[in-house]
Every structure is written in structure tokens, then in C-alpha cells.
Amino acid sequence: ILIGLVGSEMCIRDRKYFIVSVCFMKRSSPVKVMTVFGTRPEAIKMAPVVQSLLAHPEIETKVCLTAQHREMLDQVVDLFKLPVDYDLDIMRSGQSLYDITSRVLRGLEEVLEKEKPDYVLVHGDTTTTFTASLAAFYKQIKVGHVEAGLRTGDLASPFPEEANRQLTGVLASLHFAPTETARGNLLRENKKDENIFVVGNTVIDALLSTVKKDYTFEDEEIQAIEEHKRVILVTTHRRENLGAPMHHVYRALRRLVETVPDTEVVFPVHRNPLVREAVEEELDGAAGIHLVEPMEYEPFTNLMARSALVLTDSGGIQEEAPSLGKPVLVLRDTTERPEAVKAGTVKLVGTGEEKIYQTAYRLLTDEAAYHAMAEAVNPYGDGRSAGRIVETLLYAEGISHKKPSKFIAK
Ligand code: UD1
Ligand code: UDP
């Protein structure tokens, strides 16, 4: 932007005043914003941001997929009809962290060199998130971090996500914190207050656009679950839970459906071959347990809305389920999302078989205990987070003088 000072003299009651006007001249070219994402949750949470960026003519929007995930990413890109400019297509079966990091870094060098965006927007805490931030930093491109400031403070949990988000925070110049708690974490790391914007979590934007009343499931197996049955929705994928912890979780599940009447488990199984191996060993053929492929986002959120209880080690589901009033047992020892724990809809139960079984059994057999947890709360968003992120970018670039609004949890 160019700033011009225009001065003029004025005389009021024999006193001379010098009037200074400041005129902002808007930049003549649009701001170029490239969003980079690669996994299912990043795509779900970036979709509303991309849609909001595209609605602003002052912004030139570019979308680059790393495709750290393939099928699970494509499901989301198709659902939200996201226009893709670049696809690095890096996924390999059983990929290591070294594979993802090196392929994304190399792939982005060329893309960033060619496009020279003003901003790269990244989301959350995956290896794509950190590596894309690093690639942008090497080209001195500003990084905007969406879902900034989540912390457990323990680099081992979740692994490697806690390191990914801390490292991204170091490289970012704009931090889009979902909540006041996240803002506080960033301030404690000496991030400047004027670079932190509390906008809510864009996952609630996505959720509100997909959950519908009286939804009919295309999947016949799910549609056929009788109305009086209580659905326990399960997902697992965390790297630190691979191996023995996952086996313990699955044994608890099996005991649950065997001992609590009128319950059925629906378990969309993550495509990680190590998750599939453990699921096959423990749950294949178990009565009352539906093992299905990763579900498309719309049926998945609608199934969550129809469920009685959610058991998961996912991050995003901890944010969505409380907004639908669904109790969540988190299959982890730590969480970077303390808000819903405080509100009472989320409980950390770890990965021990007995604790999971006992906690879930009580919830499903004691009405008072269930109702105490099943209160809909919205600590994470109001469905307007993507709009706030775009307002902030326009404000930061001097295109708009309107201060971006803040998300206030109710
Ligand atoms: C990744 C992220 C994690 C995020 C999760 C969301 C890292 C290190 N991990 O974990 O933070 O919570 O995504 O789900 O960034 N696969 C497929 N098809 C797919 C997706 C995965 O076949 O569409 C298989 C592949 O064999 C792949 C493996 O799953 O190698 C693991 O994928 P990866 O992205 O490395 O790890 P996730 O556990 O999915
Ligand atoms: N999800 C989905 N289909 C599924 C399971 C999950 O669309 O079969 C969505 C879910 O609603 C949430 C996101 O995927 O928005 C969470 O992704 P995941 O658990 O893989 O990653 P995390 O949030 O832990 O990073």
C-alpha cells in the first residue's frame, strides 16, 4: 500500500490549524494467497477458508495439495469442489516421516518459485503443515497458520504433531488461534499479540454446512442399523497408539458390544496398513461391530449426529462431537483441546482396556451419567471462522480498514 499525507491550513477564530489527511491507496494487484494442505482433516478445515478466499476479488487464490493422503483427501476435495492448482501427489503406502518431509519440501520449492505468493496458509499440525511452512520461510514468503496455538507441551504426545505445531508457530507471521486458550499459549511463547487473531475453528464452519435433519445414508449397512440401537462411533489412527495400545482399545470395544444391550459399533477404519492389521486381528467378524472404509465427510458427520457415544483418538472429532452434544471418550493421555473437557462433553480415558470399558459401560448404562456429558456446547466455533481469517488477511494487507471480528465462545 502507498500512504499519502495531504496537508492544508485552516483558520478558526483567529487560530491556525494544520489539517493532515492520510490517504491510503490500495495495492493495484490482488494479494496472492496459496493454501497448502495434504491430509483429510486439513482439507476439511481448509475447505471453508478456500471457499471464502475465492469469494474475494481482491485475493488471487491458489490451492496446492501435497497429497500426504490420497483417497481420504480426494473425498474432501470432491465434496467441497475445491479448485486444485497443484498436486504434489507424494503419498506412498507405509510412508515414513522422512519420506513426507523430503517430498513435500522438494515439491514445494518449484511451486513457490513459480507462483511467488504473498502468503502461504497452512493448517494445524501435520508434517505437511510444518514442511510447507518451512518451504515458504526459505523463500521469505509470509506464513499464516490456521488453528494456531494448540499445545499439550509434551513433544511425545501427540507425536509428531506437537512438534509440528510448535515449529510452524515459530515460522508463522499470522497466527489464527481458534480459542482464547490457544491465544494464551502463543502469548506465553512470546508471539506478538498484534499477530494473533482469535477466529474460532473452521471445522465448525464445515460441520454446520454438512449435518442435516433426517439424513439418509447411502451405505446400506449403516442405514439398516435399527432405530432403537445405540451407535458407538469409533476412529483410531494416532502414531503413538499404533501397536499394543490399539489392541487394548479394540478389546475394550468387543467387550462393550457383548455386554451392553442394544449397542452397535461403527468403525470407519483408517487406511494406515498398521491400523488395519490390528483391527483385523482383534475385530474381524465380531458381532455388532461394523468395520467400514473411511467415510465421506457428509455421511460421517451425520452418523456422528445419530450416535450415542464417540470413542476416538482424533483431534477434529473432539471439536465436532461436542457441538452435536455427543459425549466423547478420547483414547489418549493428553489433549491440546481442553475446552470441551472443561465443558464436560469430553473425557480423556487413555488406551487401557479396563478404563475404556468401565467408563463407556457406565455412560451407556447410567442415564444420569450420560446426560451429564451429553450437553451440546460450542467452545470451538460459530461457523464464521473462515470469514474472519479472510477479513484478517485483507486487514493485514491494508486492503480493508475494518478490524477483523473476534470469535467469542458462548
Ligand atoms: C496423518 C498426520 C496426522 C493426522 C492424520 C489425519 C502426520 C505425521 N500425521 O497421520 O497428524 O492426524 O494424518 O488422518 O502428518 N493412507 C492411504 N490413503 C490415504 C491416507 C493414508 O493409503 O488416503 C495410508 C498410507 O499407507 C500412508 C499411511 O496411511 O502411508 C499413513 O499416512 P500418514 O499421512 O503418514 O499418517 P496418518 O496416520 O494418516
Ligand atoms: N472424518 C471423516 N470420515 C471418517 C472419519 C473422520 O470425514 O471416516 C472426519 C472427521 O469428521 C473430522 C476429521 O475427519 O473432521 C478428522 O480426521 P482425522 O481423525 O483423520 O484426523 P485428526 O483430526 O486427528 O488430525
Side-chain angles (χ1 to χ4, degrees):
I1 34 168
L2 296 172
I3 301 176
L5 294 179
V6 184
S8 60
E9 266 188 6
M10 200 178 171
C11 210
I12 303 174
R13 290 194 192 137
D14 296 335
R15 280 190 161 194
K16 270 193 179 172
Y17 291 88
F18 190 70
I19 313 284
V20 180
S21 327
V22 182
C23 49
F24 291 88
M25 277 130 78
K26 286 186 185 171
R27 50 186 293 156
S28 53
S29 59
V31 201
K32 196 188 259 195
V33 180
M34 175 173 278
T35 52
V36 181
F37 49 93
T39 65
R40 168 174 68 191
E42 292 166 78
I44 291 168
K45 290 167 164 184
M46 277 301 218
V49 178
V50 172
Q51 288 169 339
S52 195
L53 288 167
L54 287 167
H56 282 80
E58 308 93 322
I59 296 174
E60 183 182 352
T61 306
K62 295 281 170 187
V63 174
C64 175
L65 306 180
T66 65
Q68 175 179 333
H69 284 175
R70 187 71 275 170
E71 304 87 343
M72 286 161 59
L73 172 74
D74 293 343
Q75 284 180 337
V76 184
V77 170
D78 293 346
L79 170 71
F80 290 98
K81 301 186 173 59
L82 303 178
V84 175
D85 299 286
Y86 296 92
D87 187 338
L88 305 182
D89 197 22
I90 66 138
M91 197 198 82
R92 301 287 181 276
S93 182
Q95 61 204 357
S96 72
L97 298 175
Y98 300 91
D99 295 329
I100 308 169
T101 308
S102 54
R103 286 202 194 99
V104 171
L105 200 58
R106 269 275 164 244
L108 276 178
E109 181 179 15
E110 207 177 298
V111 172
L112 295 178
E113 183 58 42
K114 180 164 170 243
E115 289 291 345
K116 297 187 173 52
D118 298 295
Y119 282 93
V120 163
L121 287 191
V122 294
H123 182 280
D125 54 20
T126 70
T127 297
T128 285
T129 316
F130 163 55
T131 313
S133 310
L134 186 62
F137 173 72
Y138 283 164
K139 295 248 176 253
Q140 298 184 26
I141 295 166
K142 288 173 278 191
V143 174
H145 187 196
V146 181
E147 200 180 272
L150 274 61
R151 299 287 184 268
T152 62
D154 178 356
L155 289 181
S157 174
F159 175 86
E161 290 81 5
E162 177 68 12
N164 284 340
R165 54 196 173 216
Q166 289 194 26
L167 292 163
T168 304
V170 170
L171 301 171
S173 53
L174 291 178
H175 310 271
F176 298 107
T179 63
E180 279 297 334
T181 312
R183 173 172 167 266
N185 292 337
L186 292 165
L187 288 174
R188 272 188 292 282
E189 291 173 6
N190 296 323
K191 309 282 188 288
K192 287 193 184 138
D193 202 7
E194 67 259 34
N195 296 333
I196 306 171
F197 298 86
V198 178
V199 294
N201 199 312
T202 57
V203 80
I204 304 299
D205 302 24
L207 180 73
L208 296 180
S209 73
T210 53
V211 174
K212 308 208 165 78
K213 265 196 163 166
D214 305 321
Y215 186 83
T216 309
F217 296 92
E218 266 177 42
D219 184 319
E220 286 169 13
E221 188 178 342
I222 293 177
Q223 185 62 29
I225 298 174
E226 293 160 282
E227 223 165 285
H228 70 279
K229 291 279 169 100
R230 291 175 292 170
V231 171
I232 306 170
L233 183 59
V234 179
T235 77
T236 59
H237 72 80
R238 294 249 85 82
R239 266 180 157 76
E240 68 272 18
N241 284 350
L242 293 170
M246 277 191 193
H247 284 269
H248 298 153
V249 169
Y250 303 156
R251 285 176 204 155
L253 275 184
R254 219 181 158 129
R255 280 171 66 191
L256 261 183
V257 277
E258 279 166 9
T259 53
V260 187
D262 292 335
T263 51
E264 293 201 11
V265 166
V266 180
F267 184 173
V269 185
H270 192 288
R271 284 186 171 268
N272 187 333
L274 296 173
V275 175
R276 297 202 154 197
E277 243 168 62
V279 168
E280 221 165 88
E281 276 175 40
E282 299 289 347
L283 300 175
D284 214 21
I289 298 189
H290 305 268
L291 301 175
V292 298
E293 288 298 321
M295 291 170 66
E296 291 193 14
Y297 187 60
E298 194 172 277
F300 183 78
T301 54
N302 282 283
L303 182 61
M304 201 169 5
R306 187 253 181 263
S307 300
L309 178 64
V310 179
L311 265 66
T312 187
D313 62 10
S314 159
I317 296 172
Q318 287 179 60
E319 294 154 345
E320 293 163 334
S323 155
L324 300 171
K326 302 300 167 183
V328 184
L329 300 183
V330 176
L331 308 165
R332 293 172 47 187
D333 299 320
T334 60
T335 184
E336 54 290 303
R337 295 165 168 93
E339 294 87 348
V341 177
K342 226 176 270 165
T345 44
V346 168
K347 257 196 192 121
L348 286 181
V349 290
T351 50
E353 177 183 337
E354 203 51 36
K355 172 104 185 259
I356 297 167
Y357 173 74
Q358 293 298 345
T359 317
Y361 183 88
R362 171 143 191 252
L363 280 176
L364 293 165
T365 53
D366 174 342
E367 239 177 84
Y370 182 84
H371 286 296
M373 270 189 93
E375 179 96 7
V377 289
N378 260 320
Y380 297 113
D382 56 5
R384 296 192 290 125
S385 302
R388 290 193 187 96
I389 289 168
V390 177
E391 270 176 30
T392 308
L393 285 168
L394 295 173
Y395 180 73
E397 287 300 295
I399 292 171
S400 159
H401 305 305
K402 197 174 137 235
K403 246 194 143 183
S405 63
K406 192 173 175 172
F407 165 64
I408 299 168
K410 292 207 181 91

